[in-house]
Amino acid sequence: MNTNFNDRTALLHKIQAEDFALYEVALYLDAYPKNAKALRYYKEHKQLLEQLKRAYEDSFGPLTLYGNQSDTSWQWVDGPWPWEKEAN
Amino acid sequence: MWSYDKKLQYPVKIKNPNANYAKIIISQLGGPDGELAASMRYLHQRYSMPYDKVRGILTDVGTEELAHLEMIAAILYQLTQGLSAEEMKKAGMDIYFVDHTAGFYPIAASGVPFDMKYVGVKGDVIADLNEDLAAEQKARVTYDNILRMVDDPDVRDPIKYLRQRELVHYQRFGDALRIAQDHLDSKNFYAFNPSFDK
């Protein structure tokens, strides 16, 4: 995996792609909870997504309420917010 | 985007079903000051809110309201588990049952279906935040009214929790209004429209 992400947007797009992959297989697993291939896919992509999210939060601020990394500032409220062009 | 936590924000464990209670508590699902209206109000107001801190408050309170909507649904679910058609009828729930069976359809206790008219979005910082302050108080009064009519401690406990959260949200919207006012022109403290005129 390429972990050299100093570009916030590139890392964000990678997270969105992995998040989508995971969500897609989750929807499938809702109906087929014993499918071994789908479960393997889920496990693989879950680990990748967790790594990417950790890398993002370390450099660019929290993705969720529970991801604030700073001891001196509540970065959760820092813009841009997801609906703004600059955030995408 | 949102993700779902497979747990309630606060436990709901009701031993005795009671259609009479369900009939009034459903107002917090789809009524004028219910949790659906609250969530939709804040999550839609945030897009035109120019201040990051206030966007944060609207996002987080709006998200918590969705968790409250789920708690109300859990209360209604447990209050109506295993009730016979006869018991439903005795409580006057037959007029709901005929259209929705055991389905969850957001209505006010009076039977009026959920209406987006309950969701105040003016696109103005001062108007919207004052709407929110009033909305939290109105929700608090509705919970007070429910507590006046419900004796079962299993039901009262999560209702009291939800009532308390309205008070906390009122405080946070008070902070939000202060933050917004700090951005206003001191010569025109109340009439200024910061989101439009900048």
Side-chain angles (χ1 to χ4, degrees):
Chain A
M1 186 187 90
N2 178 14
T3 50
N4 181 26
F5 283 111
N6 42 27
D7 180 1
R8 190 194 71 86
T9 309
L11 181 50
L12 177 67
H13 289 175
K14 183 82 184 139
I15 287 170
Q16 285 169 325
E18 283 303 325
D19 207 24
F20 176 73
L22 205 68
Y23 218 95
E24 190 73 334
V25 77
L27 293 190
Y28 181 82
L29 279 163
D30 285 347
Y32 305 99
K34 303 278 187 205
N35 186 287
K37 198 176 166 192
L39 285 167
R40 269 199 310 278
Y41 185 93
Y42 168 80
K43 198 174 172 182
E44 214 175 284
H45 285 264
K46 186 171 79 107
Q47 283 167 356
L48 192 53
L49 183 62
E50 279 167 3
Q51 285 171 18
L52 290 167
K53 282 184 171 175
R54 209 172 307 127
Y56 184 99
E57 289 188 331
D58 286 347
S59 301
F60 305 114
L63 284 163
T64 75
L65 204 63
Y66 309 101
N68 205 80
Q69 306 287 327
S70 171
D71 294 328
T72 54
S73 178
W74 182 240
Q75 296 167 307
W76 175 240
V77 291
D78 293 349
W81 281 79
W83 54 90
E84 298 180 281
K85 273 201 289 283
E86 305 77 47
N88 286 275
Chain B
M1 72 175 286
W2 270 263
S3 61
Y4 175 69
D5 283 8
K6 197 181 168 187
K7 63 169 178 60
L8 294 181
Q9 190 186 22
Y10 183 89
V12 174
K13 214 171 177 62
I14 298 165
K15 286 184 286 291
N16 303 313
N18 186 318
N20 286 305
Y21 291 165
K23 202 180 156 191
I24 56 171
I25 293 171
I26 199 168
S27 240
Q28 287 305 75
L29 197 72
D33 307 309
E35 303 291 356
L36 180 59
S39 182
M40 292 302 105
R41 183 181 309 116
Y42 310 143
L43 293 180
H44 289 93
Q45 281 181 0
R46 69 192 184 129
Y47 301 110
S48 58
M49 187 54 65
Y51 313 124
D52 280 337
K53 287 179 194 167
V54 184
R55 288 171 168 182
I57 291 168
L58 289 169
T59 301
D60 297 340
V61 176
T63 299
E64 188 183 349
E65 306 292 14
L66 285 176
H68 295 171
L69 187 66
E70 184 186 34
M71 279 180 65
I72 291 294
I75 291 168
L76 295 174
Y77 179 82
Q78 293 177 26
L79 281 174
T80 52
Q81 277 287 285
L83 285 178
S84 67
E86 199 49 48
E87 285 168 308
M88 295 280 267
K89 199 173 171 185
K90 222 163 73 186
M93 284 285 278
D94 51 341
I95 54 173
Y96 177 90
F97 183 85
V98 68
D99 286 328
H100 308 295
T101 328
F104 278 61
Y105 187 71
I107 58 168
S110 61
V112 176
F114 178 76
D115 195 319
M116 281 301 288
K117 283 176 185 160
Y118 306 151
V119 179
V121 179
K122 199 67 183 173
D124 176 276
V125 175
I126 302 301
D128 282 350
L129 290 175
N130 277 287
E131 176 89 33
D132 302 345
L133 285 159
E136 292 296 335
Q137 288 302 327
K138 288 191 277 184
R140 189 266 305 161
V141 175
T142 309
Y143 284 123
D144 278 337
N145 290 342
I146 290 170
L147 289 168
R148 286 183 179 112
M149 294 181 279
V150 170
D151 294 327
D152 184 350
D154 289 354
V155 185
R156 291 177 64 86
D157 184 56
I159 293 290
K160 280 185 197 165
Y161 172 88
L162 292 167
R163 179 193 178 277
Q164 203 62 26
R165 296 308 295 159
E166 308 300 342
L167 300 182
V168 172
H169 292 169
Y170 181 77
Q171 297 303 314
R172 297 286 76 80
F173 284 128
D175 290 338
L177 184 59
R178 181 188 49 75
I179 291 163
Q181 284 174 331
D182 286 346
H183 285 86
L184 298 186
D185 187 329
S186 61
K187 289 186 294 243
N188 194 10
F189 197 75
Y190 291 105
F192 196 82
N193 181 341
S195 61
F196 191 72
D197 301 328
K198 288 266 182 338

